[in-house]
Amino acid sequence: MNYHWNWGIYWEASPEGTGSYADMLWSGLLVTLEVSAIAWVIALLIGAAMGVVRSLPSPWAKRISGTYIELLRNIPLLVQLFLWYFVMPELVPDAWGDWLKQMPDAPFWNSAVGLGLFMSARVAVQVSTGIAALPRGQQAAGTALGFTLPQTYWYVLLPMAFRVILPPLTSELINTIKNSSVALTIGLAELTARTRAMQEFSFQVFEAFTAATVIYLLLNLAATWAMRLLERRLRLPGYGAG
Amino acid sequence: MNASAPVIRMQHVSKWYNPHFQVLKDCSLDVTRGEVVVVCGPSGSGKSTLIKTVNALEPFQQGTISVDGIDLHGKGVNLPRLRARVGMVFQHFELFPHLSVLDNLDIAQRKVLGREREEARARSVALLKRVDLSAHAEKFPGQLSGGQQQRVAIARALAMDPVVMLFDEPTSALDPEMVSEVLDVMVQLAREGMTMMVVTHEMGFARKVAHRVVFMDQGEIVVDAPKEEFFGAVTNERARVFLSKILAH
Amino acid sequence: MFSDFDFDAILRALPYLFRDGMSFTITLTLLSALGGLLLGTLIALARIGGGKLLAMVAAGYVNFMRALPLVLVIFWFYFLVPYLGQWLTGAPRPIKVGGFSSALLTFVMFEAAYFSEIMRGGIQSVARGQSSAALALGMTGGQSMRYIILPQVLRTMLPVLLTQTIVLFQDTSLVYVLSLTDFLGAASKIAQRDGRLVEMYCFAALVYFLICFLASQAVRRLQTRVAIIR
């Protein structure tokens, strides 16, 4: 192989003049973390709401949540980001569109919201599955004690449903982080984008990608570890095997 | 509140799951204050459905039910408030697994009745003592035996100071050796004058404390008789067959 | 705004979008699914009955692939494959690899990790009773896997495998980062050439939605049929 390895490249100054290549990757990592965090909060909130709606007995509720979930699940994330970034500003009234286009961090907010909504459909499916997995009598017990429907969900069903779905939620969190890399297509300077930039500036393809790979692996480990910790904290004595 | 009016008055209640399947057929039943009524019948006879209509956990299409003088289908009825005054004990306990025993007793007192934390806690502690589970107050439901869980469930219902207690096959999910600890609590309650409607096959319990026994079959109330009459000289053929079957073992 | 939405622009682009773009997307999807399933099955077999070392390598591969973003993997292969080819063929310089081949190799390797997990779950659930029955009939382990277990796994796991293929179909849109002309790439090229971003991206979204939605409905129907047969 006539490839010239240079593992010291990370500490060399990048042509951007703002520090070393390592700094470049670091800034990308921070953006990846920020976008993933905001997207995850959106995904959890809207996903929980839609999951609850999906679990309601009313056929209308099922139709609304079903439409929402199918729409977001059956369009590629990349296309969804394009819709938010390129199409949305043209479809809203001109004044809003101009505001959207001139927003200082447009790629950032578009990615966070787009990714958050994309993931919310998956979270919604998990939440409604979790609720359906609870014994049917739990809702009856809440109702019989005089809880209103929202109270039954809040005090009885959701606390258990979320415990049940913690493991799949862990993979969805990791998916959120991984999917944030798609945002490089709308110009977000996240980790993969900064890795690409490093590769283009330095021609050290494999050093750049190796660094990104290691960082993503570490992010995986960190997310898994954090969720395990949460699982352990929420574990109920005597309930289930694990 | 009228002392002589029935706590539960059920008149001509009919329920259909679909146009071809009627689960309750013109059921009428009164339970007066301080009365213990045992409902029995073969499985699928509609007895569980019947008891669940009392606090509107099961909707019904025809007839009226009033609890403590309040019509379930009445205008502006606050169903959650009404249900809060009707205690219910389920076949599968249905404790909330994510809450400790004490919190299971506290939560509806605070969130539904609006009691202060200390007031609710004092009531919970007293009731746990009454069902003889003070030692398990901080445990989670998953750490208790079935019999213990069901006693907690009874205490949870009592914490709401109900005007009537409904029991839906409270011992049928229990291992045989745990049945008596639950029945003992129920007998005690009955002797203290609690109004109770109990779906059960435990005829020993019925003999001991019931005032009336109701026998259901295929969605109908076939027999509604004072205990002595029911066990002494039940005239209904279906009830007799049923009784001989469950008393045989 | 919708008032100047140009349907004509879509109509004019249709031949290009489908003849060039969609055929690329579908070819890539089907070949990747096939290759991914084959490789994935081999990986699953290695994990289940391949001896300790092989099982560990296979598990490591699966976990490694599933930890990485697809976009990064696409770039990895795009830059790595020419060097690998040089190394394999002994050529004097990195060989030239077409965009399609690079993408195909990427998706086969990437999807194999996901398909292998599906196959592994299936094999484990079927093998429990069936493999002892097959062994009792005098079959070898390999025979029992080939004639008894794998056919059943493919059948019961078919809905899940197809669902994963629908995900793969959506994921192929990411070859956009290599500027290849898949369906989305074609739409994007027209969008930029004609300044018709709204029309092109809305249409692309609609097409993806219809295909994926109808396909997943079909899978759902298949799922209930498979469930009844079992």
Side-chain angles (χ1 to χ4, degrees):
Chain A
M1 285 227 280
N2 48 4
Y3 178 80
H4 299 287
W5 293 95
N6 175 11
W7 291 105
I9 185 72
Y10 307 122
W11 317 116
E12 290 174 19
S14 82
E16 284 179 334
T18 48
S20 64
Y21 283 112
D23 292 329
M24 224 169 136
L25 295 181
W26 176 251
S27 75
L29 170 62
L30 290 183
V31 173
T32 288
L33 288 175
E34 285 164 11
V35 151
S36 305
I38 296 172
W40 185 237
V41 171
I42 294 174
L44 276 184
L45 290 179
I46 299 185
M50 273 297 160
V52 166
V53 171
R54 193 170 189 238
S55 74
L56 296 174
S58 135
W60 268 106
K62 283 199 172 58
R63 223 162 290 157
I64 290 170
S65 58
T67 308
Y68 180 85
I69 291 168
E70 293 301 339
L71 264 180
L72 289 168
R73 262 211 310 210
N74 288 311
I75 299 176
L77 172 59
L78 177 53
V79 178
Q80 291 190 32
L81 290 183
F82 281 2
L83 288 183
W84 294 115
Y85 190 63
F86 295 119
V87 177
M88 246 273 278
E90 308 297 331
L91 295 185
V92 295
D94 288 345
W96 297 8
D98 291 341
W99 179 78
L100 281 173
K101 282 184 225 169
Q102 286 155 13
M103 205 162 54
D105 270 335
F108 181 85
W109 292 108
N110 271 291
S111 314
V113 172
L115 179 58
L117 293 177
F118 178 78
M119 293 307 299
S120 75
R122 280 136 220 273
V123 172
V125 173
Q126 299 293 355
V127 168
S128 69
T129 311
I131 293 172
L134 303 178
R136 286 179 57 88
Q138 286 283 298
Q139 175 157 12
T143 309
L145 280 171
F147 285 133
T148 59
L149 190 63
Q151 281 181 319
T152 305
Y153 270 93
W154 188 252
Y155 294 119
V156 178
L157 300 179
L158 284 178
M160 279 314 291
F162 266 99
R163 283 177 168 87
V164 172
I165 61 169
L166 263 181
L169 278 189
T170 305
S171 5
E172 296 301 357
L173 169 62
I174 291 171
N175 284 338
T176 306
I177 298 171
K178 289 195 292 179
N179 283 336
S180 67
S181 62
V182 176
L184 71 83
T185 56
I186 58 170
L188 184 70
E190 48 68 65
L191 180 54
T192 307
R194 300 306 280 159
T195 309
R196 276 279 282 156
M198 171 176 171
Q199 168 241 322
E200 276 171 356
F201 288 141
S202 70
F203 301 105
Q204 298 304 131
V205 186
F206 299 120
E207 291 83 345
F209 286 145
T210 302
T213 301
V214 170
I215 295 173
Y216 277 113
L217 289 180
L218 291 177
L219 284 181
N220 262 274
L221 287 181
T224 311
W225 175 80
M227 291 296 271
R228 286 262 165 79
L229 212 66
L230 188 64
E231 260 177 75
R232 200 162 312 149
R233 276 203 53 165
L234 293 177
R235 183 167 301 163
L236 300 167
Y239 186 85
Chain B
M1 234 190 273
N2 183 341
S4 63
V7 179
I8 298 172
R9 164 154 281 184
M10 192 179 275
Q11 287 176 312
H12 308 296
V13 170
S14 289
K15 174 184 171 74
W16 288 262
Y17 278 135
N18 59 52
H20 310 290
F21 184 41
Q22 189 173 2
V23 265
L24 295 178
K25 297 174 187 159
D26 197 29
C27 297
S28 297
L29 178 74
D30 281 358
V31 181
T32 56
R33 200 164 301 280
E35 201 174 22
V36 175
V37 174
V38 164
V39 182
C40 61
S43 65
S45 60
K47 50 195 193 307
S48 272
T49 310
L50 182 82
I51 202 171
K52 282 181 182 145
T53 58
V54 173
N55 56 356
L57 284 185
E58 288 276 0
F60 53 95
Q61 287 82 28
Q62 268 178 25
T64 57
I65 296 178
S66 65
V67 175
D68 210 19
I70 301 166
D71 183 358
L72 288 190
H73 285 177
K75 260 210 171 98
V77 167
N78 185 339
L79 273 183
R81 294 309 280 185
L82 184 81
R83 288 182 179 125
R85 310 191 56 213
V86 178
M88 182 152 206
V89 176
F90 295 85
Q91 181 177 4
H92 295 286
F93 332 135
E94 304 302 351
L95 295 179
F96 305 136
H98 62 295
L99 299 177
S100 72
V101 166
L102 269 179
D103 287 336
N104 259 281
L105 267 64
D106 285 352
I107 187 159
Q109 293 185 63
R110 295 183 52 208
K111 304 299 176 188
V112 176
L113 301 181
R115 284 182 185 158
E116 291 300 321
R117 181 190 292 273
E118 296 74 23
E119 187 191 359
R121 185 46 58 99
R123 184 92 179 97
S124 306
V125 167
L127 279 165
L128 271 191
K129 192 165 175 209
R130 175 169 168 180
V131 296
D132 203 18
L133 287 171
S134 302
H136 303 283
E138 301 297 337
K139 287 191 181 164
F140 283 81
Q143 297 170 288
L144 302 183
S145 72
Q148 290 169 329
Q149 289 194 53
Q150 194 61 301
R151 280 145 66 202
V152 173
I154 294 173
R156 179 176 72 178
L158 290 174
M160 306 295 282
D161 295 324
V163 292
V164 56
M165 287 282 285
L166 309 176
F167 294 82
D168 183 12
E169 306 210 29
T171 56
S172 56
L174 293 175
D175 290 335
E177 74 271 18
M178 293 171 184
V179 169
S180 67
E181 64 186 82
V182 171
L183 288 180
D184 286 348
V185 172
M186 291 169 62
V187 167
Q188 181 69 21
L189 261 183
R191 294 209 165 125
E192 286 166 14
M194 173 59 77
T195 312
M196 294 163 68
M197 183 168 168
V198 185
V199 172
T200 186
H201 288 170
E202 295 291 338
M203 288 301 125
F205 171 80
R207 277 181 206 278
K208 214 182 264 179
V209 292
H211 299 101
R212 276 171 38 230
V213 180
V214 168
F215 173 74
M216 285 188 77
D217 193 21
Q218 294 173 11
E220 274 177 288
I221 294 183
V222 181
V223 179
D224 178 352
K227 169 181 61 178
E228 296 75 15
E229 191 180 310
F230 185 84
F231 289 114
V234 62
T235 49
N236 182 278
E237 179 58 27
R238 284 186 276 179
R240 223 182 10 236
V241 172
F242 172 76
L243 263 185
S244 67
K245 270 186 193 155
I246 60 170
L247 294 181
H249 61 247
Chain C
M1 289 295 286
F2 263 115
S3 51
D4 45 51
F5 194 91
D6 185 1
F7 285 101
D8 236 29
I10 299 175
L11 278 181
R12 277 190 313 258
L14 281 182
Y16 179 61
L17 287 180
F18 283 91
R19 210 178 305 142
D20 291 53
M22 190 50 91
S23 68
F24 181 104
T25 295
I26 288 183
T27 314
L28 180 57
T29 303
L30 293 182
L31 290 180
S32 307
L34 222 62
L37 180 60
L38 276 176
L39 184 58
T41 306
L42 290 179
I43 295 173
L45 291 176
R47 284 189 76 172
I48 289 171
K52 227 173 190 164
L53 185 71
L54 196 55
M56 242 171 62
V57 172
Y61 176 81
V62 170
N63 292 332
F64 180 72
M65 271 301 176
R66 299 201 321 152
L68 295 182
L70 178 51
V71 177
L72 184 69
V73 179
I74 289 174
F75 283 135
W76 252 123
F77 276 93
Y78 185 69
F79 291 106
L80 188 65
V81 168
Y83 286 96
L84 279 182
Q86 178 197 9
W87 179 64
L88 282 174
T89 59
R93 53 182 66 245
I95 60 169
K96 261 194 146 27
V97 177
F100 181 80
S101 318
S102 168
L104 179 59
L105 188 64
T106 309
F107 278 98
V108 167
M109 301 294 281
F110 187 77
E111 290 299 324
Y114 290 83
F115 279 120
S116 85
E117 284 296 273
I118 297 172
M119 292 305 285
R120 190 166 69 104
I123 291 171
Q124 279 170 340
S125 75
V126 171
R128 211 158 289 150
Q130 293 283 297
S131 83
S132 23
L135 296 181
L137 286 172
M139 289 191 186
T140 64
Q143 283 175 322
S144 116
M145 188 57 79
R146 185 160 160 214
Y147 298 114
I148 308 297
I149 295 171
L150 281 183
Q152 294 187 55
V153 172
L154 279 177
R155 193 196 171 91
T156 51
M157 287 289 143
L158 189 61
V160 191
L161 293 169
L162 289 175
T163 303
Q164 181 63 31
T165 306
I166 296 173
V167 173
L168 165 62
F169 174 73
Q170 295 189 25
D171 281 348
T172 57
S173 65
L174 289 176
V175 299
Y176 172 90
V177 299
L178 299 182
S179 306
L180 298 183
T181 309
D182 73 320
F183 183 66
L184 180 64
S188 149
K189 274 169 195 162
I190 302 264
Q192 270 146 28
R193 190 193 68 190
D194 297 356
R196 288 289 165 196
L197 272 68
V198 175
E199 288 84 351
M200 283 302 150
Y201 290 143
C202 284
F203 182 67
L206 180 73
V207 170
Y208 274 113
F209 175 77
L210 284 179
I211 293 177
C212 297
F213 179 72
L214 293 176
S216 55
Q217 292 298 314
V219 171
R220 208 165 292 172
R221 207 156 305 148
L222 181 76
Q223 201 159 21
T224 47
R225 272 193 27 202
V226 172
I228 291 167
I229 291 165
R230 283 204 80 205

